[in-house]
């Protein structure tokens, strides 16, 4: 991405380094630190209490991109974390055991709060149990987020969560920070969050254009960076997404395709929707397998883990705590399987995708459950070619370049053939 | 000029080539074991396919005779295997030379004795192999050069005494690979003429073979026909084979596929994924195919196709080769029997021993334990075959199950025991479906490749 320094990139860089700077100085400034996860992240509430967020998942994926994850995982395994444990956890725990130096090389401060606001992945519970053992002084705040078993959020579910906010989350945050809960401040952040979400939704809709001006997976993971590391609900994020949108619309105006690490993609041959997180240890290689073939991802489920905005849901400052609750329940992995299928089908149809690819992650239960069934259902419903590959998040041992390449090559040739058939049938 | 199309499937264990004509009819097949030098493997498979094509053309010319007269049919069968022997013989000469040279470079003090021993072994196996080709139909047994030689060589070495064992095995290991990786040029015409000479000798000798009722009647009928009339066939062949030998087999286009396809010296547009080729080949032979199972050397693929033969989805084994051909190879080694004996022996089982291991290497340990506990070998083998099929069934399930019709392809489809369990388990899980298994199943990928080549890969359009 360094190839082209757009304004949005500079803004993003400033946000990230600003945050890590503040984290580095947290001891001096006396600011309290809150470790939390991307799905169901309560950025607006965290900001209301002037906390500094740390996202272990983000650190893990950053470690992988900097080729440090193998060592961290080894460290965790040495300390009795089994081979089958989610590799995000092992990478993160390993990093902490080795001094907790974050992506910028600065030491990450210890947590004052361990905030578990999304419980859809059982691993999260175990992860924080481990962290609690490492940092016994941290206050644990856990909210139970009900799964959308029946495919909807009911008022009872929302009430159930609001009560937890009132009785558990807010009092504990007040206790740790010594700051009184200020609902007006929360509303201010919620309004900004809504604004950012509007921009994000618009950004991911630009893939309707042909050629698509962006890659909604490989570049998409950079775009969702700011909201996934705690900037949702800030003026900086609004500014970033606005700038990004303008840049993208400029590409649309010029009829340009997405930018890849090797420059502009010349020809858009295939439009794909991808399910599952990317592999981080060989992120560039993985991406290259797609752009070399002229494949652009027009939508991905992974960019929705930090919030699903496609269907119109937004934070609403008139119902602050209800809104936080709904946000948690509306994470991608908290949707039931039929809901996910509907959402992905909508993406495939609206963004006129030619194919659907599942990247199954060896160590992530949350994402992998139901993936095959979803793929079958989508294949049947939309009569679209589907492809299946397997890798891992941050454990380089599970990324087999030749295996993935072999499967993707076959998949792209399938798409190629189909295009020709469709063409001759319509002539 | 007639146009032909070539498909090459460079698999992990075997390399296959298929030549088709403009009506998608197979006119030539070639197969060899894949070796370190992929190009040589591909070239050998192609050369084989071209010889095979010449024989097909020859058979087409004398078609009426072949249909009407048993001696023609028998003669053509025989000449194919003797022809293979002629090829074998040339490579064997190279190997013999290499073996002697390798031994001469040995630092052993008893070097001369070793060389003497080596030569006497070669003198034993040379006529043995010849006899098996000429009289035993070895050429039709799908054995490769390396296997044919090593089987007999090892047997003789075992008899030679302890002090010779190591150097003689070493000499073989050091010599066979370079010889295999060398391309040998043959002259079709020359080989045919030599083969005819060998056959003449054989048939003359047949006068002495008496009917003793140990074989079926048709055998003696063919034998008598050939014995009395082979001169006619010879005459007819002499008339035509030159034409066939000189005819240019014009390969208008070709496609490479298989595990090693990226290493083939083909232009990029002539390389196609084996998934597509297998599906396309299977679909061409059985047009109602909707699910294809291909068990190859190191991967197993479950493929779903639509009515055009286009792949809609597929699943392959990841990370582990348990459940593939290699697994069988490994098991055969464990038992010290040949790959071809595995299936038949498993078929004679009285029950299937449960093998729970999903890992090839662990299965070896399990097998040892079972043998130690006195379990019968056929029963263990049956269990192993079943285990492979179980793995394949889970891949099929992941790819979307079995839809009617179901076609089973790949080298492993020739194994009777695997076939038995596939039939059994598919029926158990998916009910009665039409199951297609073709004698050419191992060539499906190459056939699909050739068919893509005919449709011009860049504008590939299934019929
Ligand atoms: S299993 Fe998946 S969702 Fe759960 S913590 Fe690990 S990566 Fe995250």
């Amino acid at each position: 991405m360094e190839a082209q320094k757009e304004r949005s990139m500079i803004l993003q860089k400033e946000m990230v380094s600003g945050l890590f700077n503040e984290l580095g100085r947290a001891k001096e400034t006396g600011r309290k630190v809150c470790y939390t996860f991307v799905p169901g992240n309560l950025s607006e509430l965290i900001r209301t209490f002037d906390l500094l967020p740390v996202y272990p998942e983000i650190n893990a994926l950053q470690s992988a991109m900097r080729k440090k994850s193998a060592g961290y995982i080894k460290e965790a395994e040495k300390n009795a974390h089994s081979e089958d444990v989610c590799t995000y956890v092992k990478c993160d725990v390993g990093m902490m055991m080795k001094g907790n130096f974050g992506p910028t090389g600065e030491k990450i401060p210890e947590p004052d709060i361990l905030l578990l606001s999304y419980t859809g992945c059982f691993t999260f519970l175990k992860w924080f149990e481990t962290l609690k053992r490492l940092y016994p002084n941290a206050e644990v705040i856990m909210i139970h987020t009900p799964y959308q078993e029946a495919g909807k959020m009911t008022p009872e579910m929302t009430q159930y969560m609001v009560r937890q906010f009132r009785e558990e989350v807010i009092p504990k945050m007040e206790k740790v920070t010594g700051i009184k809960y200020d609902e007006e401040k929360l509303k201010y952040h919620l309004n900004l969050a809504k604004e950012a979400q509007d921009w994000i939704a618009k950004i991911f809709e630009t893939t309707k254009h042909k050629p698509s001006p962006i890659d909604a997976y490989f570049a998409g993971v950079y775009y969702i960076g700011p909201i996934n590391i705690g900037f949702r609900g800030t003026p900086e994020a609004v500014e970033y997404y606005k700038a990004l949108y303008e840049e993208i619309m400029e590409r649309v105006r010029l009829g340009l395709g997405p930018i890849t690490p090797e420059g502009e993609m010349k020809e858009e041959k295939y439009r794909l929707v991808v399910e599952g997180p990317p592999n981080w240890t060989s992120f560039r290689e993985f991406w290259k397998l797609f752009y070399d073939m002229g494949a652009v991802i027009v939508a991905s489920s992974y960019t929705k883990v930090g919030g699903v905005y496609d269907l119109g849901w937004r934070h609403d400052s008139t119902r602050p705590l209800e809104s936080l609750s709904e946000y948690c329940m509306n994470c991608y992995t908290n949707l039931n399987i039929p809901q996910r299928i509907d959402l992905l089908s909508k993406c495939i149809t609206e963004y006129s995708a030619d194919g659907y690819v599942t990247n199954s992650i060896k160590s992530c239960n949350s994402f992998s459950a139901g993936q095959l069934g979803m793929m079958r259902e989508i294949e049947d419903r939309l009569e679209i070619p589907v492809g299946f590959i397997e890798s891992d998040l941050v454990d380089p041992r599970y990324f087999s370049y030749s295996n993935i390449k072999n499967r993707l090559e076959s998949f792209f040739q399938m798409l190629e053939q189909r295009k020709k058939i469709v063409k001759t049938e319509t002539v | 000029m007639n146009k032909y199309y070539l498909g090459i499937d460079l698999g992990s264990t075997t390399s296959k080539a298929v030549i088709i004509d403009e009506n998608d009819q197979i006119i030539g097949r070639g197969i060899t074991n894949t070796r370190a030098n992929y190009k040589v493997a591909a070239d050998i498979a192609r050369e084989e396919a071209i010889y095979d094509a010449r024989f097909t053309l020859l058979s087409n010319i004398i078609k009426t005779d072949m249909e009407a007269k048993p001696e023609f049919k028998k003669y053509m069968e025989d000449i194919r295997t003797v022809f293979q022997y002629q090829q074998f013989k040339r490579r064997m000469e190279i190997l013999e030379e290499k073996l002697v040279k390798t031994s001469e470079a040995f630092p052993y003090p008893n070097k001369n004795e070793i060389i003497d021993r080596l030569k006497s072994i070669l003198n034993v196996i040379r006529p043995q192999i010849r006899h098996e080709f000429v009289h035993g139909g070895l050429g039709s047994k799908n054995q490769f050069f390396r296997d044919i030689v090593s089987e007999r060589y090892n047997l003789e070495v075992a008899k030679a005494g302890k002090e010779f064992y190591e150097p003689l095995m070493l000499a073989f290991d050091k010599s066979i690979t370079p010889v295999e990786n060398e391309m040998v040029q043959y002259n079709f015409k020359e080989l045919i003429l030599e083969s005819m000479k060998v056959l003449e000798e054989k048939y003359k000798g047949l006068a002495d073979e008496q009917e003793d009722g140990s074989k079926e009647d048709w055998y003696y009928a063919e034998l008598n026909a050939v014995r009395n009339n082979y001169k006619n066939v010879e005459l007819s062949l002499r008339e035509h084979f030159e034409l066939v030998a000189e005819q240019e087999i014009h390969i208008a286009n070709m496609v490479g596929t298989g595990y090693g396809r990226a290493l083939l010296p083909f232009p990029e547009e002539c390389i196609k994924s084996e998934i597509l080729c297998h599906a396309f080949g299977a679909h061409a032979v059985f047009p109602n195919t909707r699910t294809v199972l291909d068990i190859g050397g190191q991967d197993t693929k479950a493929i779903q196709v639509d009515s055009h033969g286009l792949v809609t989805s597929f699943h392959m084994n990841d990370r582990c080769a348990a459940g593939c051909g290699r697994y069988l190879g490994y098991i055969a080694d464990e038992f010290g029997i040949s790959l071809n004996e595995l299936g038949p022996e498993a078929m004679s089982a009285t029950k299937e021993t449960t093998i729970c291991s999903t890992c090839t290497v662990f299965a070896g340990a399990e097998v040892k334990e079972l043998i130690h506990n006195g379990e019968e070998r056929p029963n263990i083998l049956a269990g192993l075959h079943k285990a492979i099929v179980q793995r394949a069934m889970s891949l099929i399930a992941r790819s979307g199950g079995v839809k009617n019709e179901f076609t089973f392809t790949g080298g492993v489809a020739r194994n009777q025991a695997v076939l038995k369990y596939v039939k059994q388990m598919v029926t158990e899980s998916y009910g009665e479906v039409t199951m297609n298994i073709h004698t050419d199943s191992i060539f499906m990928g190459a056939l699909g490749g050739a068919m893509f080549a005919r449709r011009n890969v860049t504008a590939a359009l299934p019929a």
Side-chain angles (χ1 to χ4, degrees), chain A residues 37 39 57 86-89 118 121-124 127 277 333 361 363-367 393:
Chain A
F37 293 110
E57 292 155 293
C86 164
T87 52
Y88 264 177
V89 180
Y118 172 65
C121 174
F122 187 63
T123 303
F124 284 160
W127 194 338
T333 45
I361 297 294
S363 66
C364 177
N365 305 317
S366 245
F367 251 103
L393 295 165

Side-chain angles (χ1 to χ4, degrees), chain A residues 367-384:
Chain A
F367 251 103
S368 307
Q371 268 182 334
L372 266 181
M374 283 159 59
M375 187 169 98
R376 287 284 87 80
E377 172 72 25
I378 287 171
E379 182 187 5
D380 287 347
R381 195 190 286 185
L382 304 175
E383 291 185 349
I384 184 172

Side-chain angles (χ1 to χ4, degrees), chain B residues 248-266:
Chain B
E248 194 196 339
I249 309 268
H250 174 64
I251 304 288
N253 200 2
M254 58 189 175
V255 159
T257 186
Y259 149 89
R261 63 182 181 274
L263 297 162
L264 285 171
F266 286 15

Side-chain angles (χ1 to χ4, degrees), chain B residues 2-72:
Chain B
N2 287 335
K3 280 189 183 159
Y4 299 100
Y5 302 87
L6 170 70
I8 290 194
D9 177 2
L10 199 53
S12 61
T13 9
T14 54
S15 300
K16 285 82 54 176
V18 160
I19 296 173
I20 58 168
D21 64 15
E22 281 178 281
N23 300 315
D24 282 344
Q25 291 305 310
I26 299 181
I27 65 149
R29 302 164 182 77
I31 181 167
T32 186
N33 52 328
T34 302
R35 53 206 79 191
N37 189 331
Y38 281 20
K39 189 176 174 322
V40 168
D43 285 348
I44 290 179
R46 191 199 55 221
E47 290 290 297
E48 291 286 317
I50 291 178
Y51 297 140
D52 189 42
R54 294 195 195 284
F55 277 110
T56 308
L57 296 176
L58 194 58
S59 305
N60 286 345
I61 297 174
I62 53 168
K63 195 166 168 225
T64 31
D65 280 331
M66 277 191 49
E67 276 162 8
K69 301 175 188 160
E71 66 269 26
F72 271 81

